[in-house]
Amino acid sequence: MSQASILLVDDEFPIRATLGDLLRRRGYDVQTADSGEEALDRIAQRPFDLFLLDLRLPGVDGITVAQRVRERYADAAILILTGHGSLDSAIEGIHLGVFDYMLKTSSPQDVLARVKSALEAQAEQRHKKSLMTTLQTVVGELGGKQQEPNETPTQQPAGDQWIRVGELEIGLWRQMARLGDQTLNLTPTEFRLLSCLAQQAGLVMSYANLLRCAQGYEAESSEAAELLKPHIYHLRQKIEPDPSNPRYILTVRGTGYVLAVEAPQSK
């Protein structure tokens, strides 16, 4: 099996050299770009499995690069690099799925762990898509109606475990979520967050517990809150009628988040 391909985009040479060498020594196929323009050129030439992307780039900024990546390669994993302690400005305006983000001061072990986690989640998603395509083909050959790739299934597959919270349905085996008759287009991290909250619906999950459940690593409450914030923001964009006034994913200030068992009706 060939190693995953990575495009590292950063205008700082020390970052490109250090991270590039670190990843190559782990066997990854790594290319680098020092600007948004060069990144777009490389994206047009060949696909990549994962993008390590600095948002603050001269010329074409990182937000534009991330948008082009998502338009061209729907299942590519994107990890955001930032040199800023406060991430509010770094993620402003990004309304697309990113797997995770990390500070440029993160340890080499942390960078490798995040890259490995992102690629494993991507491989799992690709495998499940391939498996579902095969199953749909088999059903069609047996005389059933072959389901279109984007069609919502009318029957839930045997053995799947579903969680239902009000209008929300989460299929753990298929890693799909629906709100009413709408299928939600979630990133792997968003799906795990929603699943963790749904399994504790009506109960407050602390920042640290939610991060542990969804991402599998430990952090102090304040750090966990910052790590969760962008993912909760994107998740609300996809499921809330009014993301600025959440009805489903509620914040318990200073503590954590809770998935409302019954979303309050708008007046």
Side-chain angles (χ1 to χ4, degrees):
M1 179 179 176
S2 61
Q3 281 288 352
S5 58
I6 297 174
L7 180 62
L8 169 60
V9 186
D10 199 294
D11 62 334
E12 298 181 46
F13 175 75
I15 298 291
R16 297 197 307 277
T18 302
L19 286 185
D21 182 61
L22 176 70
L23 293 164
R24 289 187 187 98
R25 282 191 279 115
R26 285 301 177 98
Y28 295 114
D29 171 17
V30 182
Q31 292 195 20
T32 63
D34 62 8
S35 67
E37 288 86 351
E38 184 180 2
L40 294 180
D41 286 341
R42 292 194 179 276
I43 291 167
Q45 293 169 11
R46 55 164 290 188
F48 292 89
D49 297 301
L50 183 141
F51 294 82
L52 275 168
L53 177 62
D54 181 11
L55 291 184
R56 304 214 171 208
L57 296 168
V60 176
D61 62 22
I63 292 176
T64 301
V65 175
Q67 289 171 338
R68 296 287 181 84
V69 168
R70 186 57 71 225
E71 290 169 2
R72 196 174 186 97
Y73 307 114
D75 65 347
I78 301 176
L79 292 175
I80 296 300
L81 295 169
T82 178
H84 302 270
S86 172
L87 296 171
D88 289 338
S89 59
I91 65 169
E92 184 178 0
I94 303 178
H95 300 291
L96 49 89
V98 297
F99 181 82
D100 210 343
Y101 68 84
M102 69 188 78
L103 295 173
K104 291 185 179 182
T105 54
S106 297
S107 68
Q109 293 78 12
D110 191 27
V111 172
L112 290 172
R114 304 275 184 102
V115 167
K116 182 173 182 289
S117 179
L119 290 171
E120 286 177 347
Q122 179 191 66
E124 183 179 2
Q125 287 294 100
R126 287 176 173 175
H127 174 70
K128 288 181 177 179
K129 286 181 180 178
S130 175
L131 179 59
M132 289 308 302
T133 299
T134 301
L135 289 173
Q136 290 163 8
T137 301
V138 169
V139 170
E141 291 175 349
L142 291 174
K145 175 181 178 290
Q146 184 168 340
Q147 183 177 303
E148 295 299 323
N150 295 324
E151 184 180 349
T152 300
T154 56
Q155 265 191 325
Q156 297 165 359
D160 200 355
Q161 181 182 354
W162 287 79
I163 301 173
R164 293 176 178 82
V165 181
E167 294 185 330
L168 180 67
E169 295 182 308
I170 300 172
L172 299 181
W173 182 76
R174 294 190 60 180
Q175 292 209 352
M176 69 171 294
R178 296 195 296 259
L179 185 62
D181 58 0
Q182 175 190 3
T183 298
L184 302 175
N185 182 22
L186 305 179
T187 67
T189 298
E190 291 164 357
F191 179 83
R192 291 195 299 271
L193 281 172
L194 189 58
S195 298
C196 291
L197 289 168
Q199 291 178 70
Q200 301 292 326
L203 301 176
V204 178
M205 291 195 73
S206 70
Y207 299 123
N209 285 341
L210 183 55
L211 184 68
R212 185 186 307 114
C213 177
Q215 298 289 70
Y217 51 82
E218 303 286 341
E220 295 296 327
S221 179
S222 58
E223 181 185 0
E226 285 299 306
L227 290 169
L228 291 170
K229 188 185 299 182
H231 299 299
I232 294 293
Y233 169 83
H234 292 303
L235 190 52
R236 281 173 169 161
Q237 299 296 312
K238 296 177 180 180
I239 73 173
E240 299 285 357
D242 178 7
S244 64
N245 184 28
R247 296 169 52 192
Y248 297 100
I249 301 176
L250 309 180
T251 301
V252 180
R253 189 172 298 278
T255 303
Y257 297 99
V258 59
L259 182 67
V261 176
E262 293 292 340
Q265 299 298 315
S266 58
K267 298 180 179 179

